[in-house]
Amino acid sequence: MNCDVCQQGQATVFLTQIVDGKMQKVNLCETCSREKGVTDPTGFALADLLMGMGAAQEIEQGGVQKCPACGFSQSDFKKTGRLGCPDCYQTFAEGLAPMLSGMHKGTVHTGKRPVRMAQFLERRARLKGAESELRRAVAQEDYETAARLRDEIRELESAMAGVGSEGGTSARSVGGAGAPEPQDSEGGEV
Amino acid sequence: MPIRRLLGETGEWMQGGGPHSQIVVSSRVRLARNLNGHAFPGWARKQERMQVLDSIRPEVERLPEMEGAYSVLSQDMTALEKQVLVERHLLSREHASKGVGSAVVMNRAQTISIMINEEDHLRMQAIRGGLQLAEAFELINQVDSALEARLDFAFHPELGFLTACPSNVGTGMRASAMVHLPGLVLSEQINQVIQAVNKIGLAVRGLYGEGTEALGNLFQVSNQTTLGETETEILARLQRVMEQIIEHEQNARLMLLQKKPNTLLDHVGRGYGILLHAYTMSSKEALNLLSYIKLGIDLRLFPEECRQPVDELFMETQPAHLQKGTRQKLAAEERDVLRAEIIRAKLRGFRAPDAAPLGLRAPDPGPAS
C-alpha cells in the first residue's frame, strides 16, 4: 500500500481518528508520518492533515483549473493545503463544498457579520420585498402605494450601489454567481 | 516603542490570576481576517504583501486599544526576539518565520497581539489569565469591529469570513485555553479525557500548539471547527468542557491524595530535589519538574508565596527567555547550565515540601492493620 501523502513510499503508519462520530483514516510512509508530526499523538490532529490532501483530491473533481483572480491552481492547493485568495472560494466552490461539510459543524456561517455586509444583505432583502409589493400594488391599481414603493426601491438601489463601490464587492463577486441567497439557504439547507 | 522594552516587561496574563488560575493558565481567542481583492499572504507576491501591510498597519496602530503599542516589522526583529514573543504566545511560530512584508502590533499590557500577513492578512488575538474566554473574545471582538469599519474584509454571505485555510472559514475564530493537568497525567486518565474532548469537536494540543509536545503537563484545548456555529456557541461549548476538565483535574488530585499519596509526594519531592540541586537542566526537564512544584503549591505543600516565582520560572527557563539577558547566543549545553543556575537561585529560599497540611506523614508508612 502506498503512502496517501507522497503516493510513493510504502505505507507503514496507519492512522484512524474519530471526530464527532466520523471516522477518518490515513495511511502514511515513515518519512511523511515524521514530517507531519504523527508520532506525537497529543500534538496531532488528523483533520488538519486530511484537509490538505483529501481536499485536493475532491477539488480536482470540481473541473475549474485556475482561479481567474489570482492564478491559483488545484495542484497548488494540493501542495499547500491553503487557498490563493478570497475569490478561490468561488472558483473552487464545487470541490470545496463536500470538504467543508466534512470538516465543520455546518455549511452556513451563522456568526458575526461585518456591519456593512449586514446592511447590504438587509437592504437586498428589503429590495426584493419592495419589488414584489410593487408588482402587487400595480396589479391592484393602487398607484399611491406603488409610487411610495418605487421611491423606496430607488433609495435602496442607490444605497447599495454606494456600498458596492466602496467595498461591498465581496457580496457580489464572491456571493453573486452560484451561491444561493443567504436568506434562503439559512432556512433551507442547514 | 522599542521592542527591547516590551521584552523586559511581563504581560498581564503571565502574572497569574484570573478565575481558576491554578488549573487554567490562560485563555486566548484569535480571529483570522483577510482583505478583499488581495491574494492571501502565502500566495501573494512581495509587492502585494507590502501593499496589504501598508493599508492594514496604520489602521491597527490608530485603534484606541493600541495606544502606546509596540509595532514592529518582522525584518526589524532578531530571531531571538521573535522566539521570546513565541514563548509568550504573542507571535505564532508561522509568523516568526516571516521576513519583509509582515509585522506585529502588540498593546502595552501584552493582552492583544495583531499579526499582519501571517497565514492570513490579519491574525488578531487576545490573551487573558485564567479561564476568561468570554472576556478574551470581547476584547478582540471590539478590535475586529473597529477595523471592519475601515478595512474591506473578505466575507461571503454563506461561508462567512474567508481564510487562507478552509479549516478557519466562517467565524475565523480559534478559542483556546491552556491548562495544567498533572493530576490527570499522574492518575493516567489524561488519554481518556483527550479522547472525550476530541469526540465533541475540540482539539487538545501541546504547549505551543499544533504538532508540539505536551511538556510540563500543559495542554491547549481549542475548537476545531469554525463554520456552522456562532462565536458564542463555540465559546460556550469550550467553556462547558473547560469546567468539566477543571472538575476532573480536581477530582484526580483528591483521588491521588487519598489513594496514592506517596506517588504524589514523590513527584513533588523529587522535582524539588532535582531543581534545587541540578547543575545542568534542559528546558524539557525543567518544565516537567516545575509542573510538580506548581502542583505542590496548589496542594499547599509549599507556602503560597512560592507561586509567583515558580510561575515566572515556567517562562524564564524557556530557551529564548533564558538568552534575552545574555550578550551572545548560547550553545545548548551553556543554556542548560544557565537554566539550572537561575532555577537554583530562585528556589534557594524554598523549604522542602511539607506534607503536614495534608494530614499525611512523608514517607507514609502504609496502611496500619
Side-chain angles (χ1 to χ4, degrees):
Chain A
M1 188 184 292
N2 279 351
C3 169
D4 288 342
V5 174
C6 64
Q7 309 287 351
Q8 284 165 8
Q10 172 78 22
T12 51
V13 179
F14 307 96
L15 265 175
T16 306
Q17 190 172 321
I18 298 170
V19 177
D20 270 344
K22 272 182 218 153
M23 188 155 68
Q24 301 171 315
K25 281 188 177 177
V26 65
N27 312 310
L28 301 169
C29 68
E30 188 136 357
T31 322
C32 289
S33 78
R34 216 176 309 120
E35 257 173 35
K36 303 284 178 188
V38 175
T39 40
D40 174 13
T42 54
F44 175 73
L46 185 55
D48 294 348
L49 172 62
L50 281 174
M51 208 194 51
M53 25 173 266
Q57 286 162 1
E58 278 162 23
I59 267 194
E60 277 175 58
Q61 298 156 10
V64 186
Q65 285 294 322
K66 275 197 170 182
C67 176
C70 72
F72 192 81
S73 73
Q74 298 154 6
S75 62
D76 292 318
F77 185 72
K78 196 164 192 169
K79 260 182 260 163
T80 61
R82 307 287 183 271
L83 291 163
C85 75
D87 286 351
C88 287
Y89 280 91
Q90 190 62 42
T91 311
F92 304 112
E94 227 176 291
L96 280 169
M99 168 189 160
L100 287 172
S101 74
M103 194 189 282
H104 292 288
K105 288 249 162 187
T107 52
V108 176
H109 177 63
T110 54
K112 186 178 183 180
R113 290 167 183 275
V115 175
R116 253 191 304 182
M117 181 63 57
Q119 272 174 357
F120 179 85
L121 294 172
E122 216 170 88
R123 285 188 180 129
R124 194 165 70 173
R126 177 63 205 133
L127 183 66
K128 287 198 152 189
E131 279 167 353
S132 71
E133 277 174 47
L134 176 65
R135 276 193 298 275
R136 206 176 316 136
V138 171
Q140 291 168 356
E141 300 185 9
D142 180 356
Y143 297 113
E144 202 178 314
T145 310
R148 184 179 53 76
L149 286 166
R150 199 171 306 128
D151 290 346
E152 192 185 347
I153 288 168
R154 221 168 276 156
E155 245 170 70
L156 284 166
E157 276 174 345
S158 71
M160 285 168 66
V163 172
S165 64
E166 74 182 55
T169 43
S170 50
R172 292 181 177 175
S173 62
V174 186
E181 297 292 319
Q183 303 95 314
D184 304 338
S185 57
E186 267 173 38
E189 283 190 9
V190 181
Chain B
M1 201 156 303
I3 180 92
R4 295 209 158 274
R5 194 142 146 217
L6 172 134
L7 301 182
E9 293 170 355
T10 43
E12 186 194 74
W13 72 272
M14 290 182 273
Q15 293 157 15
H20 301 289
S21 62
Q22 287 194 359
I23 293 173
V24 185
V25 180
S26 62
S27 301
R28 257 189 312 154
V29 177
R30 76 108 165 100
L31 300 174
R33 300 288 186 257
N34 288 283
L35 299 192
N36 240 331
H38 288 283
F40 297 132
W43 184 243
R45 290 168 189 281
K46 185 169 152 192
Q47 201 192 344
E48 188 168 18
R49 288 203 308 273
M50 302 290 288
Q51 210 183 326
V52 166
L53 175 64
D54 287 343
S55 60
I56 294 178
R57 195 175 176 211
E59 297 301 342
V60 172
E61 285 173 349
R62 66 193 265 202
L63 291 169
E65 287 88 350
M66 286 301 176
E67 211 185 311
Y70 304 90
S71 175
V72 210
L73 295 171
S74 287
Q75 70 267 30
D76 291 344
M77 285 186 279
T78 65
L80 183 67
E81 286 166 343
K82 287 180 179 176
Q83 192 54 38
V84 170
L85 297 178
V86 170
E87 288 171 3
R88 289 186 189 180
H89 296 277
L90 291 171
L91 206 66
S92 65
R93 287 188 303 167
E94 159 123 15
H95 197 271
S97 66
K98 303 279 180 186
V100 176
S102 296
V104 59
V105 185
M106 297 159 284
N107 68 343
R108 245 354 248 289
Q110 301 183 33
T111 51
I112 302 174
S113 155
I114 298 184
M115 290 172 261
I116 304 170
N117 281 336
E118 203 243 25
E119 179 182 300
D120 295 295
H121 293 143
L122 268 166
R123 283 284 178 102
M124 321 181 265
Q125 71 150 29
I127 184 163
R128 303 293 302 262
L131 184 60
Q132 297 200 67
L133 289 164
E135 291 79 359
F137 174 68
E138 208 28 65
L139 198 57
I140 207 62
N141 191 34
Q142 274 178 22
V143 168
D144 176 55
S145 298
L147 286 177
E148 163 215 302
R150 302 174 190 283
L151 297 167
D152 181 19
F153 287 161
F155 183 88
H156 185 289
E158 201 183 345
L159 295 177
F161 292 99
L162 301 176
T163 51
C165 183
S167 65
N168 292 317
V169 82
T171 59
M173 181 181 83
R174 184 87 64 226
S176 69
M178 182 155 51
V179 275
H180 182 231
L181 306 174
L184 289 170
V185 172
L186 280 180
S187 61
E188 294 172 359
Q189 296 178 71
I190 191 71
N191 286 335
Q192 265 169 281
V193 170
I194 290 175
Q195 275 168 20
V197 171
N198 280 343
K199 246 179 220 158
I200 45 176
L202 298 175
V204 183
R205 299 191 163 117
L207 181 54
Y208 287 103
E210 234 164 276
T212 61
E213 232 178 322
L215 295 170
N217 301 316
L218 290 166
F219 299 86
Q220 278 188 63
V221 185
S222 62
N223 63 305
Q224 216 158 10
T225 59
T226 51
L227 183 62
E229 282 176 295
T230 65
E231 289 82 355
T232 322
E233 285 164 346
I234 295 171
L235 288 166
R237 190 151 50 95
L238 186 56
Q239 175 80 20
R240 274 198 308 277
V241 168
M242 289 313 302
E243 283 165 6
Q244 282 176 11
I245 290 180
I246 291 167
E247 203 185 314
H248 280 299
E249 170 65 18
Q250 282 163 342
N251 288 341
R253 291 178 184 189
L254 282 176
M255 195 271 283
L256 286 166
L257 278 175
Q258 283 168 6
K259 296 192 176 150
K260 293 180 174 174
N262 288 328
T263 312
L264 199 61
L265 290 171
D266 188 60
H267 275 90
V268 178
R270 278 171 191 269
Y272 172 80
I274 296 170
L275 287 170
L276 199 65
H277 297 288
Y279 278 77
T280 160
M281 172 82 48
S282 71
S283 74
K284 188 174 169 177
E285 186 182 14
L287 279 176
N288 287 334
L289 296 175
L290 283 168
S291 162
Y292 292 113
I293 304 293
K294 189 172 161 72
L295 174 65
I297 297 166
D298 293 349
L299 298 174
R300 302 183 186 282
L301 296 167
F302 297 101
E304 187 58 30
E305 53 266 30
C306 296
R307 187 177 296 281
Q308 206 196 332
V310 169
D311 282 347
E312 284 168 5
L313 278 176
F314 269 91
M315 193 59 82
E316 285 169 13
T317 55
Q318 296 288 301
H321 273 81
L322 200 66
Q323 293 175 86
K324 78 184 163 75
T326 63
R327 275 171 191 280
Q328 69 239 27
K329 210 170 177 290
L330 301 176
E333 303 87 63
E334 294 173 307
R335 286 205 300 271
D336 291 353
V337 170
L338 178 61
R339 182 177 294 114
E341 201 177 298
I342 290 174
I343 294 172
R344 284 201 313 277
K346 207 143 200 170
L347 297 189
R348 198 163 286 145
F350 280 39
R351 307 260 301 266
D354 177 11
L358 299 181
L360 301 163
R361 276 175 297 153
D364 186 28
S369 56

